[in-house]
Amino acid sequence: AIIVYRLPWTWKCSKILMKFIHAGLNTIAMILAIVSMVAVFEYHNARNIPNMYSLHSWIGLTAVIFYSLQLFLGFAVFLLPFAPVPLRAALMPIHVYSGLTIFATVIATALMGITEKLIFSLKNPAYSASPPEATFVNCLGLLLVIFGALILWMASRAHWKRPPEENAKVLLPSGGTPEGTEAESTMTDGSNADKSGLRINSEAARKQNLKLDEAGQRSTM
């Protein structure tokens, strides 16, 4: 979901379409997270295992809570066409930063979770003896770190950024306003307003000169 705006073959798609894809992927991830949380608590209760005692569970629950808030605010501010452009421009850096932070937190939670599972599950031979199961899951953890680093690298590089909307037109809702990035649209609106103001002033001055010329012509007739 983070990199749907960063893939070059999606730059020709409309911004609103990519917003729906971004929101849809995040919604699927949220549903899976809720199902996972329910499964964990039911498993613990069935086995009489205490809930919420480890750092893994604390950070995991925190990530799910903040992820749900991120998803709700993303829908309300960026997907629905009601929020004003200045508000979107102000919240966009926070939305991006919090999304990357939650993603990194989820990677860390997964690493702690698989390590905790190995310590509790591997008894004979123990985790410290590096049985094949331990090697396999450690490799999985390394792949998670590489995956997270790759996503964060793509999200932080300027040349992966979606180009301005001159190359990708936006499908506007009725009464909507064009959006590149929210900050860019705000700047564009301001520059367009300045240019339109100059055109209006120039037109007014031209009409005033015409009136003066006509008045001068009448006075000489």
Side-chain angles (χ1 to χ4, degrees):
I2 288 175
I3 63 170
V4 293
Y5 297 111
R6 302 278 174 164
L7 303 176
W9 55 86
T10 67
W11 292 347
K12 294 182 180 180
C13 300
S14 66
K15 184 70 176 291
I16 191 66
L17 173 62
M18 300 316 300
K19 280 187 175 184
F20 276 110
I21 294 175
H22 178 75
L25 291 174
N26 276 298
T27 302
I28 293 172
M30 188 70 238
I31 293 172
L32 295 176
I34 293 173
V35 171
S36 302
M37 293 287 292
V38 172
V40 167
F41 279 101
E42 288 189 353
Y43 176 80
H44 280 203
N45 294 335
R47 296 295 186 94
N48 293 320
I49 300 174
N51 291 309
M52 302 302 300
Y53 67 90
S54 66
L55 182 62
H56 163 70
S57 61
W58 285 23
I59 296 181
L61 182 61
T62 301
V64 171
I65 292 173
F66 278 97
Y67 188 46
S68 61
L69 292 175
Q70 172 88 344
L71 187 60
F72 173 77
L73 292 177
F75 268 107
V77 176
F78 300 107
L79 191 62
L80 300 179
F82 304 119
V85 171
L87 177 62
R88 296 185 180 190
L91 292 181
M92 178 58 73
I94 300 174
H95 180 73
V96 172
Y97 174 78
S98 59
L100 295 176
T101 302
I102 292 170
F103 175 74
T105 303
V106 169
I107 296 291
T109 302
L111 295 176
M112 287 186 289
I114 61 178
T115 302
E116 180 182 302
K117 183 65 177 177
L118 285 177
I119 292 174
F120 290 156
S121 299
L122 295 180
K123 300 297 183 182
N124 188 20
Y127 183 26
S128 58
S130 297
E133 296 90 343
T135 302
F136 173 77
V137 176
N138 286 347
C139 291
L140 175 62
L142 288 176
L143 290 176
L144 282 174
V145 172
I146 294 172
F147 168 73
L150 179 63
I151 297 299
L152 293 175
W153 182 82
M154 292 177 65
S156 60
R157 299 277 77 82
H159 59 273
W160 284 91
K161 188 176 181 180
R162 181 183 173 92
E165 290 304 313
E166 61 184 4
N167 295 328
K169 300 300 181 182
V170 180
L171 296 179
L172 293 176
S174 58
T177 56
E179 295 174 303
T181 60
E182 310 301 340
E184 288 170 352
S185 62
T186 305
M187 294 170 61
T188 303
D189 292 342
S191 62
N192 289 341
D194 293 340
K195 292 178 181 179
S196 62
L198 289 174
R199 286 196 297 268
I200 291 173
N201 291 337
S202 300
E203 184 68 19
R206 188 180 66 83
K207 290 181 178 179
Q208 183 66 23
N209 290 335
L210 288 176
K211 290 180 180 180
L212 291 175
D213 291 341
E214 290 174 359
Q217 292 174 1
R218 291 192 187 99
S219 63
T220 58
M221 287 177 65

